[in-house]
Amino acid sequence: MAEGGNSLFTAMTANDVIQEVKSISNPRQLFGPYWYESEVCCLFADENVGKSILAVQIGDGVAKMFQEGETVLYYDFELSKKQFESRYRSEDGDSHHVFNDNFIRVELNSGNIPVERMNEIEDLLIEGIEQNIIQFKSKAIIVDNISWLINLKNSVASVGKLMRKLCTLKKEYGLSILVLAHTNKRNSAKGIEINNMNGSKKMSNFFDAMFTLGKCKVDPSFKYLMQTKVRTGGFTNDKNNVDVCKIEKVGPNLKFVKCGNCSEEEMLGKDLPKCCEPKSEKKEGKNTEAPPEQNNTKPAEHEPDASAATCAEPERHGHQMGGRRGWREGIPDACRMATESAD
């Protein structure tokens, strides 16, 4: 069947579609089950929960997965250079975290925005992003925070326009995109839903995957990660099995470190979840040590080149991406494998 030539649509039989793409590798996990390669993904949460800290950690981890010269662009609309530096400085001030050279932080020079183009700021931003993609040979971009544009123009429609253009860039350059967003004012005693994302509910239609970051009611220093929308993989970390984490300063690096798993209901309950209890108070014999290093040996019944990043049946082969085995210093398996040679 003809593919349509220069027509608006491309038409193929379902069988032809399968034959065309069956030899293409499955997308890699960029951040556990939460964000896959070639996806437009959204991380949304309340203010001051740790979105930017997690986004930088994800970006640095993904940068280590790429080949030399392929970069991750992190668009920081939140922090100044000094604020960013202070987060990744040791307590004594003598050392700083060393990021992968493929991780590029970008900030907006607002003084260079022509006054006459303020009404077309979305086009101006996309032009700048496209220039950066070409200059730095970027394979992934992280936008922190899309709510900045809502506040700038007081318009949800402008964000929709920007998202449409970002999706076009994704297809043109083969990008993976992570967008951060705030939530609307909500009852923090209730669970987080897609509808809580700042802006129109229609915004969720732009994303292949979405996940959120919440905090424990009893002890807000404990956070939890939860999937709210997926197209690749499955709901391994929904409200019944959230990843519980804590933000810690590990040397000069400010990062999320995993504590365990429980349900969102437990995180919002009146008692501290068991996975958040101090290690000394946990039952004797329960493993509370950090997960062991990845040994890169092939799991039983694995295909020759299978891995946690490409395995079509991760649960059957033991890749529990949302579980305790899937984390090393707060980074899921897919990032973990890429960082081992650099550690």
Side-chain angles (χ1 to χ4, degrees), residues 221-271:
S221 68
F222 287 98
K223 323 292 183 182
Y224 65 92
L225 284 168
M226 181 178 70
Q227 294 171 294
T228 58
K229 180 179 180 179
V230 298
R231 282 184 179 160
T232 306
F235 276 104
T236 58
N237 293 93
D238 60 7
K239 64 181 181 179
N240 297 313
N241 183 44
V242 301
D243 276 323
V244 180
C245 321
K246 203 166 188 178
I247 300 173
E248 296 183 3
K249 200 68 175 282
V250 181
N253 192 13
L254 190 64
K255 64 193 301 185
F256 276 72
V257 177
K258 182 166 179 181
C259 304
N261 290 82
C262 67
S263 67
E264 184 183 34
E265 184 178 8
E266 289 176 273
M267 291 297 288
L268 300 178
K270 62 180 181 179
D271 298 318

Side-chain angles (χ1 to χ4, degrees), residues 9-122:
F9 297 101
T10 297
M12 301 174 66
T13 68
N15 290 327
D16 286 342
V17 171
I18 292 173
Q19 290 300 315
E20 181 178 298
V21 302
K22 68 179 184 180
S23 61
I24 299 176
S25 300
N26 292 330
R28 295 179 294 176
Q29 290 180 328
L30 299 181
F31 183 59
Y34 299 101
W35 183 26
Y36 279 79
E37 199 170 32
S38 301
E39 283 188 336
V40 179
C41 180
C42 179
L43 164 59
F44 67 102
D46 298 341
E47 295 184 2
N48 299 315
V49 178
K51 293 187 299 297
S52 296
I53 296 171
L54 182 58
V56 170
Q57 182 174 344
I58 293 172
D60 193 31
V62 172
K64 295 172 184 177
M65 299 175 65
F66 290 160
Q67 298 178 8
E68 185 176 356
E70 296 179 341
T71 67
V72 176
L73 294 176
Y74 171 67
Y75 287 87
D76 191 347
F77 294 103
E78 296 281 314
L79 302 179
S80 67
K81 287 186 176 73
K82 190 61 182 178
Q83 289 170 334
F84 182 85
E85 178 267 341
S86 66
R87 286 188 171 185
Y88 303 100
R89 180 181 63 214
S90 62
E91 298 293 343
D92 57 15
D94 289 341
S95 63
H96 289 82
H97 174 64
V98 179
F99 289 94
N100 187 275
D101 286 339
N102 291 338
F103 183 65
I104 310 293
R105 179 183 177 272
V106 187
E107 65 177 48
L108 179 68
N109 297 317
S110 55
N112 293 341
I113 300 177
V115 176
E116 64 273 15
R117 295 201 64 183
M118 278 301 297
N119 289 332
E120 51 186 70
I121 184 67
E122 306 88 357

Side-chain angles (χ1 to χ4, degrees), residues 53-312:
I53 296 171
L54 182 58
V56 170
Q57 182 174 344
I58 293 172
D60 193 31
V62 172
K64 295 172 184 177
M65 299 175 65
F66 290 160
Q67 298 178 8
E68 185 176 356
E70 296 179 341
T71 67
V72 176
L73 294 176
Y74 171 67
Y75 287 87
D76 191 347
F77 294 103
E78 296 281 314
L79 302 179
S80 67
K81 287 186 176 73
K82 190 61 182 178
Q83 289 170 334
F84 182 85
E85 178 267 341
S86 66
R87 286 188 171 185
Y88 303 100
R89 180 181 63 214
S90 62
E91 298 293 343
D92 57 15
D94 289 341
S95 63
H96 289 82
H97 174 64
V98 179
F99 289 94
N100 187 275
D101 286 339
N102 291 338
F103 183 65
I104 310 293
R105 179 183 177 272
V106 187
E107 65 177 48
L108 179 68
N109 297 317
S110 55
N112 293 341
I113 300 177
V115 176
E116 64 273 15
R117 295 201 64 183
M118 278 301 297
N119 289 332
E120 51 186 70
I121 184 67
E122 306 88 357
D123 295 324
L124 197 61
L125 290 173
I126 290 297
E127 289 171 13
I129 291 173
E130 186 169 16
Q131 290 172 3
N132 292 154
I133 291 168
I134 295 171
Q135 178 184 357
F136 295 104
K137 299 179 181 178
S138 305
K139 302 300 291 182
I141 64 174
I142 299 174
V143 180
D144 182 11
N145 183 301
I146 199 72
S147 298
W148 167 85
L149 187 58
I150 296 178
N151 296 332
L152 178 68
K153 297 195 68 175
N154 194 29
S155 170
V156 175
S158 63
V159 176
K161 184 178 179 180
L162 180 65
M163 285 304 308
R164 282 191 292 272
K165 292 179 178 294
L166 281 175
C167 290
T168 299
L169 288 182
K170 184 205 85 163
K171 293 180 180 179
E172 184 172 352
Y173 293 99
L175 299 172
S176 304
I177 300 176
L178 177 63
V179 175
L180 275 63
H182 293 312
T183 55
N184 295 316
K185 291 183 179 179
R186 64 180 191 86
N187 185 348
S188 60
K190 294 184 178 181
I192 308 174
E193 300 177 350
I194 289 179
N195 294 350
N196 297 132
M197 184 178 67
N198 191 15
S200 170
K201 181 184 177 182
K202 294 180 180 179
M203 282 291 295
S204 64
N205 295 331
F206 289 107
F207 301 111
D208 299 300
M210 300 177 69
F211 65 104
T212 188
L213 183 62
K215 55 187 177 181
C216 178
K217 180 179 179 180
V218 176
D219 185 350
S221 68
F222 287 98
K223 323 292 183 182
Y224 65 92
L225 284 168
M226 181 178 70
Q227 294 171 294
T228 58
K229 180 179 180 179
V230 298
R231 282 184 179 160
T232 306
F235 276 104
T236 58
N237 293 93
D238 60 7
K239 64 181 181 179
N240 297 313
N241 183 44
V242 301
D243 276 323
V244 180
C245 321
K246 203 166 188 178
I247 300 173
E248 296 183 3
K249 200 68 175 282
V250 181
N253 192 13
L254 190 64
K255 64 193 301 185
F256 276 72
V257 177
K258 182 166 179 181
C259 304
N261 290 82
C262 67
S263 67
E264 184 183 34
E265 184 178 8
E266 289 176 273
M267 291 297 288
L268 300 178
K270 62 180 181 179
D271 298 318
L272 189 69
K274 291 183 178 180
C275 66
C276 300
E277 295 174 356
K279 292 180 181 180
S280 59
E281 294 181 12
K282 291 187 177 182
K283 293 181 180 180
E284 185 177 355
K286 185 174 181 179
N287 180 18
T288 59
E289 297 299 321
E293 295 285 331
Q294 177 94 354
N295 60 21
N296 288 328
T297 56
K298 291 181 287 187
E301 300 183 341
H302 237 323
E303 296 175 5
D305 61 345
S307 67
T310 60
C311 180

